[in-house]
Amino acid sequence: DRANAATPAHILQELFYKEDCRPNVARNVSAPIPLLISLAADQSFGVRGMVASNTSTPPKVLEVLASDANKNVRGFVAGNPQTPQHVLERMAADLEVIRS
């Protein structure tokens, strides 16, 4: 698996700077929180989606991603078990996410 949870933080930090590796860093549950925060603002909705689906992503970051312009990113937030209840309740009104 390219998102091996045993990958050391310093390696993930190096991979963060390689554009083609960013999605794998974003989905890695061992990714340091500062990297996940940075990746949550990535231009690629694919990278943001990986952050949104990562169970190590902090709830505050998931709350921000719950308002992402991309419905797929919002869908990943809705499916993340770490997403706070109040965010899920707000998202329940998001018909685009519900229909996906």
Side-chain angles (χ1 to χ4, degrees):
D1 182 69
R2 294 181 293 165
N4 187 337
T7 305
H10 72 279
I11 300 295
L12 292 169
Q13 180 72 44
E14 289 175 27
L15 294 173
F16 169 82
Y17 293 104
K18 297 181 179 188
E19 190 172 330
D20 60 331
C21 295
R22 291 170 77 87
N24 292 322
V25 174
R27 72 182 181 151
N28 193 304
V29 295
S30 296
I33 299 303
L35 290 185
L36 292 173
I37 291 169
S38 293
L39 290 166
D42 198 273
Q43 288 183 331
S44 166
F45 71 85
V47 171
R48 294 191 315 274
M50 292 294 99
V51 174
S53 67
N54 188 329
T55 56
S56 294
T57 299
K60 291 285 187 190
V61 175
L62 293 170
E63 187 168 0
V64 170
L65 289 171
S67 298
D68 195 272
N70 185 280
K71 72 176 183 176
N72 294 320
V73 173
R74 296 191 312 270
F76 283 122
V77 171
N80 190 320
Q82 301 306 317
T83 301
Q85 184 68 33
H86 72 278
V87 174
L88 293 172
E89 289 169 0
R90 187 182 80 222
M91 293 181 78
D94 186 346
L95 294 178
E96 251 191 315
V97 172
I98 293 169
R99 291 183 185 142
S100 0

